[in-house]
Amino acid sequence: MSGFHIEAFVNAFIYAMFGIFIFTASFMIWDKITPYDLWKEIIEGKNLALAVMVGFMSLGMSIIIAAAVH
């Protein structure tokens, strides 16, 4: 019974792409609802607190999406 199962691989790939799409869309929505441009503020403004907040927000969204897709 051991071996490569193409169906399982295809399912995992589809769910991974779906999760990445949801994460990207949710991040873009979060960027739109904030009063400033996140990337500009982090990169040009060197706002470390915002960078940490965006990092933790990304981890949180990833965990939620992974649990929902799984």
Side-chain angles (χ1 to χ4, degrees):
M1 222 62 220
S2 67
F4 183 75
H5 298 285
I6 190 72
E7 297 87 11
F9 177 77
V10 170
N11 285 336
F13 182 77
I14 290 171
Y15 280 118
M17 290 298 111
F18 185 61
I20 290 169
F21 172 75
I22 292 173
F23 174 77
T24 304
S26 61
F27 188 82
M28 289 177 8
I29 290 169
W30 184 257
D31 192 24
K32 294 289 183 201
I33 64 174
T34 55
Y36 42 82
D37 184 20
L38 291 177
W39 288 118
K40 183 178 179 184
E41 185 68 26
I42 290 171
I43 294 173
E44 292 177 8
K46 306 261 191 273
N47 191 338
L48 183 61
L50 182 62
V52 170
M53 190 275 307
V54 168
F56 281 123
M57 179 196 66
S58 298
L59 284 172
M61 284 193 306
S62 297
I63 291 170
I64 292 168
I65 293 167
V69 169
H70 191 274

